[in-house]
Structure formats: C-alpha cells, structure tokens
C-alpha cells in the first residue's frame, strides 16, 4: 500500500494541472495513467487536429493576397503535413511528458485505476490510499451514433481522424459540430473528396451566422455539405469501400467514414459503484470540482460535463488543485463567485475557437442563450470585412462579429467573431466578459489602427454611445 495526499486518475493535460497545482501547495501527488501521459489533447485532439489544419489555412491566406497569391503555385504536400502533425504528438510517445512529471516530483503509476472505497484506488493489484482526495480526470470517449451497420464498418472516430497516416481518396463525415467541421476542413485541404452530413445546421449552439458562413466556405473548398439528413445504414464491402444510405434516399460511396457526433463520460470502469455513484454517468460537481455528496472525490475536465474543452478543463484543474490543498491544510477556501478556488467562468465566460476557415471565435452567451436565461439583452452585429485591418489582412475579407449586452447591468455577456485569423482576437473579448467591463468604459479601450480589433469600435458605434 502506498499513501499520497492526492491521487489523480488520468494524466492528460487536465490531470497534470490538478497534480501540479496541488503539489505546488505542498501535497504529495501521484497520477495514474492507462495510456499515454499527456492524454487526448496531446495525441488525438487539440494538437494533431490543429496541426492538420494549419498548413491549409496558411496557403488559403496567401491565396487571398494579391502578390502572394501568384507565389502559390502548387498544392499542399500532404506527406509533409502529416509528418509535421506527427511531430506535435511526438510520434505518440510520452517520454517528454513523463520527464516533466519526474521534474515536478509527481509520481506516475501506470495502469488502469479502479476506486475500491473512500480515498482508495487499486492499480494492477496494488492499493494506493489518498490522505486528502482522489480526483477523477478521465475525460470523455468518442460516442458512436446508433446507425445500423456503422460499428461493423469500423469507422474512423476522432482518434483515427486526427492520427491517420494516409489521405483517403474520399471521406464521409457524420456530424456538423466542432470536431466534424474541423476534420472535414482538414482532410479536404489535404486532397480528400469530403462529404459532410449533419442532422441540423453546422455548429449548433453558436450564433446562427457562424455555421452558415462556415458551411458556405466549406462548399467553396469543395466539401459537399448536406444538412437536414441522417445516415440510416452503413456497409463496408470486401474491397474496403463504405456505402452509406441517407434518409433522403440517396447513397454515398466513400473510402472512409468518420463519425463525429458526440462524447460520452469515461467513467464506466472506475469502480464508482463502490462509493455510491453510477458507473457510466457524468459526475456532478460544485464549483470547486468536488463531486456532489462527497467530501473527498473531485471530478475535473470533460468528465463533469461542464465545458468539454481542454483550456476550460485546465482552468477547472487550477481551481481544484488549489481547493484540494487548501482543504487538506485547513486554509480558507474562497468559494464566492470568481474566488480563487472556483471555476466561475464555466457558467458565464467559456471561450472557444473552431479552427475551420473561416475561424469561429466566441466567448460567453449567444443572444438566444442570454434570453433563455432571462436576461434583458440587446445585440449588435457588424461586417468584419468592412474594417480597415481586415481589408489589409485579406483581399475580399469575409466575416462577421456580434456583441451581446446585458442591458440591466450595462456589460457585455457574449461576443462572436467569424473570419480569417479571428482566434487571436478572442482574449480581449474574454477579458471584457470575465471582467464585466461596463460598455461605457469600453469606449476608452482604444483599438490600435489599422488592426482587425477596430471591430470593437464599430460594434460600440452600432450599439450607441451613452449620453
């Protein structure tokens, strides 16, 4: 039996942060990992998917500039792009991540963890005890839609979609969310003939114009975007070709099919039943990430279903690591909104970038979500392409911006940008929403000219200056 102050189950980016922040406060910490240290984001999600997309974005940006466009004379070198992607995953080896754990004095336990009781975890037949807490940071799993024949056809999931070592001649993507939209864009840029089918429009839950502009751009890239349709049957033949039947009666034959329709909690095999919880469920937590009904079990990142984003999970991890240490050491725990030990931003200020072309960068509430929360809001939109900085960024720049204001408090509660290179503009919006900066004060935040950030002035002008 080995004792630690904290045992973290899952050594992905989020688990590493829980461990690091608790250890910095003086706790002894071990992390348990059944696969690769670094987790989903490092090897099968954030990093490889953005590496797949970046080269195509760079070429597309060059083609939008007179003078630069004439220098672009060929297609992407797909083999070089895939090799660059491989470098960002360290060829799916975790030596560097393990070395970091060692340098941080955090113990690594390899194997599958199973909770066997309060503050006890079993790995490979050995029992480990936590004096302070156990943190479940196991993330989420790719969820295969219930389509007859799909499982037997051995489709790509998001892991295969980010790690494949060849470009398929043709690819069907099922799902119009962030993952489906990004991977459809990536593989189309690499030369695959891509079809995307979605039950509704693209990028549901965002401002409607986001999905509309992305779908339009996908079609210009050569992607066959079909919305309002669902697959009803999938079959792979003896030659490896996949035939998909849609509910509008049409059929598609492709080299591969990629399902990107959702995530499920990675909690089924954790032994949660031994502590009165239901295996396979999302874990409900308070704002310090403490699992409801316990005083020792924490759930951080995707597994609590608050915001399935790596950066938001790492934010939760910082709060949880600090809270675990403070409680164990008898120090005050600040649980008031925006306090040091809570993840308040999960409710009001979640930033997200969808790395399609155009990019979608958003934070906070959409207009619809704000109204559903009962807020009195006013929203303004502006053509991002009409800003001088955007015209310099790309010839014929196309994009849109929207700002949602809580009229009762006079603060911005949501911002969405759609356009080339808008990802790097998002943090200013995040600061405005988190800081609850009054709109009349934002008039004094002068955007540098000529940058795309001048959109802030145009949004404020559309909203109207206070008298």
């Amino acid at each position: 039996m080995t004792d630690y102050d904290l045992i973290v189950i899952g050594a992905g980016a989020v688990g590493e942060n829980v461990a690091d922040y608790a250890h910095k406060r003086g706790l002894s910490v071990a992390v348990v990992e059944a696969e690769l240290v670094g987790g989903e984001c490092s090897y099968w999600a954030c990093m490889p998917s953005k590496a797949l997309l970046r080269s195509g974005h760079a070429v597309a940006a060059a083609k939008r500039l007179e003078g630069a466009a004439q220098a672009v004379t060929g297609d992407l070198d797909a083999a070089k792009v895939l090799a660059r992607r491989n470098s960002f995953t360290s060829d799916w080896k975790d030596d560097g991540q393990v070395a970091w754990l060692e340098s941080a004095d955090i113990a690594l336990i390899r194997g599958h963890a199973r909770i066997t009781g309060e503050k006890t975890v079993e790995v490979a037949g050995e029992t480990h005890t936590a004096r302070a807490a156990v943190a479940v940071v196991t993330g989420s799993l790719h969820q295969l839609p219930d389509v007859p024949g799909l499982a037997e056809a051995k489709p790509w999931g998001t892991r295969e979609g980010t790690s494949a070592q060849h470009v398929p001649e043709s690819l069907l993507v099922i799902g119009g969310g962030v993952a489906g939209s990004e991977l459809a864009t990536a593989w189309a840029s690499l030369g695959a003939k891509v079809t995307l089918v979605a039950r509704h429009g693209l990028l549901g839950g965002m401002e409607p114009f986001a999905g509309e502009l992305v779908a339009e751009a996908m079609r210009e890239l050569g992607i066959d975007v079909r919305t309002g349709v669902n697959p009803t049957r999938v079959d792979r033949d003896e030659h490896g070709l996949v035939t998909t039947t849609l509910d509008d009666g049409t059929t598609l034959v492709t080299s591969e099919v990629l399902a990107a329709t959702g995530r499920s909690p990675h909690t089924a095999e954790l032994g949660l039943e031994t502590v009165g919880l239901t295996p396979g469920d999302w874990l409900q937590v308070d704002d310090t990430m403490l699992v409801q009904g316990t005083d020792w079990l924490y759930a951080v990142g995707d597994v609590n279903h608050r915001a399935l984003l790596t950066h938001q999970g790492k934010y939760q991890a910082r709060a949880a690591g600090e809270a675990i240490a403070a409680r164990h050491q008898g120090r005050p725990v600040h649980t008031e909104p925006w306090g040091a030990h809570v993840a308040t931003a999960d409710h009001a200020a979640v930033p997200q970038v969808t790395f399609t072309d155009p990019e979608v960068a958003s934070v906070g509430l959409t207009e619809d979500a704000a109204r559903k929360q009962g807020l009195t809001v006013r929203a303004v939109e502006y053509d991002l392409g009409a800003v001088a900085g955007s015209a310099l960024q790309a010839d014929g720049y196309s994009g849109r911006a929207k700002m949602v204001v809580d009229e009762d408090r006079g603060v911005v509660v949501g911002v969405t940008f759609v356009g080339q290179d808008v990802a790097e503009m998002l943090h200013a919006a995040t600061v405005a929403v988190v800081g609850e900066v009054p709109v009349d004060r934002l008039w004094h935040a002068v955007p540098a000219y000529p940058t795309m950030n001048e959109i802030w002035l145009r949004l404020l002008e559309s909203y109207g200056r206070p008298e």
Side-chain angles (χ1 to χ4, degrees):
M1 180 177 291
T2 309
D3 291 338
Y4 301 93
D5 293 326
L6 169 65
I7 297 174
V8 179
I9 303 175
V14 178
E16 288 175 328
N17 272 265
V18 176
D20 188 35
Y21 274 74
H23 181 68
K24 285 176 178 176
R25 292 297 185 185
L27 272 59
S28 62
V29 183
V31 294
V32 185
E33 179 54 55
E35 292 188 281
L36 297 177
V37 175
E40 204 78 10
C41 176
S42 299
Y43 305 104
W44 300 288
C46 316
M47 297 305 293
S49 66
K50 305 316 171 279
L52 285 174
L53 285 156
R54 178 58 192 155
S55 298
H57 285 356
V59 170
K63 288 181 176 179
R64 295 185 186 115
L65 290 173
E66 190 66 21
Q70 286 70 27
V72 181
T73 57
D75 297 324
L76 283 179
D77 186 324
K80 294 288 187 182
V81 174
L82 295 179
R84 182 173 186 267
R85 182 274 319 275
N86 291 352
S87 73
F88 277 94
T89 68
S90 301
D91 291 311
W92 290 273
K93 297 176 183 176
D94 64 0
D95 299 11
Q97 301 270 16
V98 172
W100 177 83
L101 286 178
E102 293 173 350
S103 71
D105 193 30
I106 297 169
L108 171 62
I109 303 170
R110 294 277 194 182
H112 175 77
R114 180 175 174 81
I115 296 170
T116 54
E118 183 172 326
K119 298 182 183 178
T120 61
V121 176
E122 183 182 280
V123 185
E126 294 187 6
T127 298
H128 305 273
T129 300
R131 286 179 284 267
V134 173
V136 175
V137 199
T138 48
S140 60
L141 296 168
H142 170 253
Q143 186 174 25
L144 200 63
D146 186 17
V147 178
L150 180 59
E152 292 76 13
K154 296 183 178 178
W156 283 5
T158 49
R159 282 196 170 195
E160 293 80 7
T162 54
S163 65
Q165 297 297 321
H166 71 283
V167 179
E169 181 178 340
S170 55
L171 174 68
L172 170 64
V173 177
I174 302 172
V178 172
S181 297
E182 287 185 348
L183 289 172
T185 301
W187 289 108
S189 74
L190 291 169
K193 181 180 179 181
V194 177
T195 302
L196 183 148
V197 297
R199 183 189 302 271
H200 303 295
L202 268 56
L203 304 179
M206 299 185 185
E207 295 290 0
F209 65 82
E212 293 166 3
L213 290 174
V214 169
E216 180 182 334
M218 280 186 174
R219 292 185 174 108
E220 291 176 1
L221 183 61
I223 299 172
D224 181 2
V225 179
R226 306 187 189 188
T227 58
V229 292
N230 297 298
T232 59
R233 177 77 198 180
V234 177
D235 294 284
R236 189 185 291 271
D237 66 22
E238 67 274 15
H239 304 294
L241 293 177
V242 181
T243 299
T244 303
T245 304
L246 304 178
D247 58 7
D248 63 0
T250 61
T251 58
L252 298 165
V253 179
T254 55
S255 305
E256 296 291 348
V257 57
L258 188 159
T261 52
R263 311 288 295 180
S264 60
H266 193 2
T267 61
E269 305 297 330
L270 280 176
L272 293 177
E273 68 278 5
T274 66
V275 292
L277 297 169
T278 304
D281 280 0
W282 303 104
L283 294 173
Q284 303 301 311
V285 298
D286 66 12
D287 278 358
T288 68
M289 305 302 115
L290 183 65
V291 174
Q292 292 177 4
T294 78
D295 62 2
W296 61 275
L297 184 64
Y298 291 74
V300 192
D302 280 15
V303 75
N304 62 37
H305 206 235
R306 287 164 65 103
L308 277 64
L309 297 161
T310 296
H311 51 267
Q312 212 66 21
K314 291 166 72 173
Y315 162 70
Q316 295 172 10
R318 295 188 287 272
E322 296 279 5
I324 291 166
R327 285 177 172 137
H328 184 58
Q329 296 165 347
R331 293 185 284 110
V333 179
H334 299 286
T335 59
E336 69 280 3
W338 308 111
H341 302 111
V342 292
T344 306
D346 285 352
H347 308 297
V350 174
Q352 180 171 5
V353 178
T354 303
F355 290 88
T356 45
D357 184 17
E359 295 171 339
V360 181
S362 62
V363 64
L365 303 175
T366 63
E367 180 180 1
D368 182 61
R371 294 190 187 283
K372 286 179 178 176
Q373 287 191 15
L375 300 181
T376 302
V377 298
R378 182 178 163 213
V380 292
E381 296 185 28
Y382 201 85
D383 178 6
L384 185 53
V387 174
S390 301
L392 288 168
Q393 197 78 359
D395 298 335
Y397 191 102
S398 178
R400 194 139 196 92
K402 183 171 184 175
M403 178 176 73
V404 182
V405 177
D406 179 345
E407 294 283 81
D408 293 333
R409 293 184 296 146
V411 299
V412 177
V413 294
V415 180
T416 298
F417 302 122
V418 179
Q420 178 187 309
D421 302 323
V422 296
E424 303 305 328
M425 296 169 58
L426 182 59
H427 196 60
T430 303
V431 171
V433 174
V434 170
E436 299 178 335
V437 181
V439 173
D440 56 5
R441 178 62 63 89
L442 284 175
W443 281 91
H444 298 279
V446 182
Y449 185 86
T451 70
M452 294 200 300
N453 286 294
E454 193 182 8
I455 188 63
W456 281 99
L457 177 57
R458 302 297 168 236
L459 288 169
L460 289 169
E461 288 174 338
S462 299
Y463 182 78
R465 188 156 194 171
E467 297 181 1

